[in-house]
Amino acid sequence: MKHLVLCSMFLFMVSLGAISSPALLTLSFETSATTHAMGGYNTTVANAWNSDPLMSYTNPALAAFQEGFSYSVIKYKWLPDAFDDYYYHAAFAVIGYKGIALSLPALNQNSDWGIHMDYGEQEQRDSAGNNLGTSHSYDAYKAYGLAINPLETYREFTNNPHPLLNHFDLALGLSYIDIDSFLAPPPGFSESVGKTDTNIYNLGLLAKANYRFGDYLNAEGSFGLTRFNPENKKVSYTEDIEADPIVRYRNTGFGVFCSVPLELIRDYLPTEYMFTDNLISLKWLHGQQDMLFGYDDEITTGYGMELGLLDTIYLRQGYYDDEAGHITGDTKGFGINLHYKDYFAIKYNSASFPGGDLTKEHKSHDMGVNINFLKVMEAIQN
């Protein structure tokens, strides 16, 4: 079964009269282990609370909620039960300041920038069976994003904003994704190399409302929306065949966040030990992805929950449902966020999620850092 998927993809691509189908499906892969653990692929869109540059690829508006400099990287084996050398790499960085943020591709563990889907080495032979060596297939994507939360920017630069504005956020994001994909031909098709260079856009929105019930409870709700490849661009790996539409989708989701603030025990805890915001927190996310190719069975859903302790330890559980793709099942994982207030943080997240017919389970891990340089400098000066 080695490289069966790649060979099938190429044969389908060069077949005359083939029916158009979504191309570059790896563009829609989720980049965050946190999301993998909380319902997978769909729930990122409304997650305004787990600050992570990897999530800004799925919804570019999320970068507006990240202050300072952040960097996250992920690597995991794709379809491990079927292939031994398929690896998914991703790394992104975010620079945020007062509700305005820039997201950039960063160096990943494959020594590449942004996203790199590595399909490993494939042996190449001509039609006579002569060995021509090996070739390396891959998909590489670099996403450059801009996000703004105008209400946060207004609050930061206005002396006396209206109190009502403290309860709402509305972030907008746009990312430009540069695409480089190379598909090595199967044996006997050595002259038909598949390669493409193109680009697409991703639009994102996230609205959030919050309310504080004294020192006892903080409650927030969110709504997220993205449109991936809104131009419905197409791509062709060779000049002599009809182009196929690049994967596109609409992702919508909701989120609810409740927490017990640390201020509840401020009379029993010295100020210098109040290094976090919440004693305990509970998060619920739900998302839906519509692939926008005119078929009802292309809709996938997911939901997940997260229990947080001192904003440091997180336990996650969820469920992913893609009935058409035969990928359904439980998701789970955990996270560790070692931090001091919002000055700096070191993060680690682990997840497992279903793989469908070709593999029983995927496992992913990501790591990240965040440093708010301005706050650190202010603390040093004071």
Side-chain angles (χ1 to χ4, degrees):
M1 192 175 174
K2 179 74 170 175
H3 306 308
L4 175 61
V5 171
L6 278 178
C7 292
S8 299
M9 288 171 59
F10 192 87
L11 289 172
F12 175 82
M13 182 186 70
V14 301
S15 298
L16 295 177
I19 300 173
S20 291
S21 64
L24 297 168
L25 288 174
T26 52
L27 279 166
S28 63
F29 284 10
E30 175 56 47
T31 54
S32 167
T34 298
T35 300
H36 288 154
M38 297 181 66
Y41 302 110
N42 304 306
T43 59
T44 293
V45 65
N47 192 346
W49 303 282
N50 293 98
S51 179
D52 191 334
L54 291 170
M55 295 183 183
S56 301
Y57 170 77
T58 304
N59 185 352
L62 295 178
F65 294 93
Q66 301 174 40
E67 192 75 12
F69 172 80
S70 302
Y71 165 81
S72 291
V73 60
I74 188 172
K75 173 186 176 182
Y76 60 92
K77 183 176 287 190
W78 184 249
L79 300 177
D81 296 339
F83 309 108
D84 58 6
D85 54 359
Y86 283 19
Y87 285 94
Y88 183 86
H89 302 263
F92 288 97
V94 167
I95 303 171
Y97 179 70
K98 299 184 184 302
I100 303 174
L102 182 67
S103 57
L104 301 166
L107 187 65
N108 60 41
Q109 294 184 59
N110 193 59
S111 298
D112 204 343
W113 294 82
I115 296 174
H116 189 95
M117 181 67 203
D118 187 349
Y119 297 108
E121 297 285 343
Q122 294 86 47
E123 292 185 1
Q124 299 299 300
R125 297 181 181 274
D126 59 22
S127 56
N130 299 313
N131 193 336
L132 301 177
T134 61
S135 187
H136 205 90
S137 296
Y138 64 86
D139 293 328
Y141 313 124
K142 295 180 176 65
Y144 305 85
L146 177 65
I148 182 171
N149 178 1
L151 295 180
E152 174 66 11
T153 304
Y154 178 76
R155 288 191 295 261
E156 291 290 342
F157 290 99
T158 302
N159 292 328
N160 296 302
H162 194 283
L164 183 63
L165 295 180
N166 294 326
H167 297 283
F168 297 96
D169 291 280
L170 178 63
L172 304 172
L174 167 68
S175 65
Y176 166 88
I177 303 174
D178 185 67
I179 297 170
D180 175 21
S181 180
F182 176 80
L183 189 60
F189 290 83
S190 58
E191 300 300 323
S192 302
V193 173
K195 183 173 176 59
T196 186
D197 294 287
T198 186
N199 57 77
I200 60 172
Y201 291 93
N202 184 19
L203 306 176
L205 173 149
L206 192 136
K208 183 165 74 76
N210 69 83
Y211 189 79
R212 180 76 171 261
F213 297 89
D215 293 336
Y216 302 97
L217 181 67
N218 178 52
E220 302 183 15
S222 68
F223 168 77
L225 170 68
T226 63
R227 281 298 304 269
F228 196 85
N229 186 21
E231 297 177 293
N232 194 21
K233 294 189 71 173
K234 298 183 178 181
V235 65
S236 177
Y237 279 84
T238 59
E239 297 179 355
D240 56 346
I241 65 171
E242 183 179 354
D244 287 319
I246 297 174
V247 62
R248 66 186 183 112
Y249 58 82
R250 176 179 59 241
N251 203 3
T252 56
F254 301 87
V256 176
F257 175 85
C258 296
S259 66
V260 178
L262 195 67
E263 283 89 342
L264 186 65
I265 60 171
R266 64 175 178 268
D267 294 336
Y268 310 98
L269 189 68
T271 303
E272 59 267 25
Y273 293 110
M274 298 185 68
F275 57 86
T276 188
D277 293 328
N278 302 300
L279 277 171
I280 189 171
S281 63
L282 184 66
K283 184 186 297 103
W284 176 84
L285 298 171
H286 180 275
Q288 174 178 297
Q289 187 180 97
D290 182 354
M291 293 298 286
L292 298 177
F293 283 94
Y295 303 101
D296 293 337
D297 60 0
E298 290 294 331
I299 294 177
T300 65
T301 59
Y303 63 85
M305 299 182 66
E306 176 190 85
L307 174 65
L309 303 174
L310 295 175
D311 296 332
T312 302
I313 300 174
Y314 298 95
L315 304 177
R316 300 168 179 139
Q317 185 79 31
Y319 188 82
Y320 177 76
D321 184 11
D322 178 6
E323 185 176 350
H326 305 287
I327 306 174
T328 60
D330 294 328
T331 64
K332 59 184 178 180
F334 68 90
I336 299 175
N337 179 18
L338 303 177
H339 70 290
Y340 180 73
K341 297 183 178 180
D342 56 355
Y343 291 93
F344 64 86
I346 300 174
K347 305 176 183 180
Y348 173 81
N349 299 290
S350 177
S352 63
F353 54 103
D357 294 335
L358 292 179
T359 193
K360 180 180 179 181
E361 182 182 65
H362 285 116
K363 293 184 178 181
S364 64
H365 312 269
D366 69 41
M367 297 176 290
V369 297
N370 172 260
I371 302 175
N372 192 331
F373 288 106
L374 294 180
K375 282 211 167 186
V376 171
M377 292 175 61
E378 290 176 2
I380 295 175
Q381 293 174 355
N382 295 332

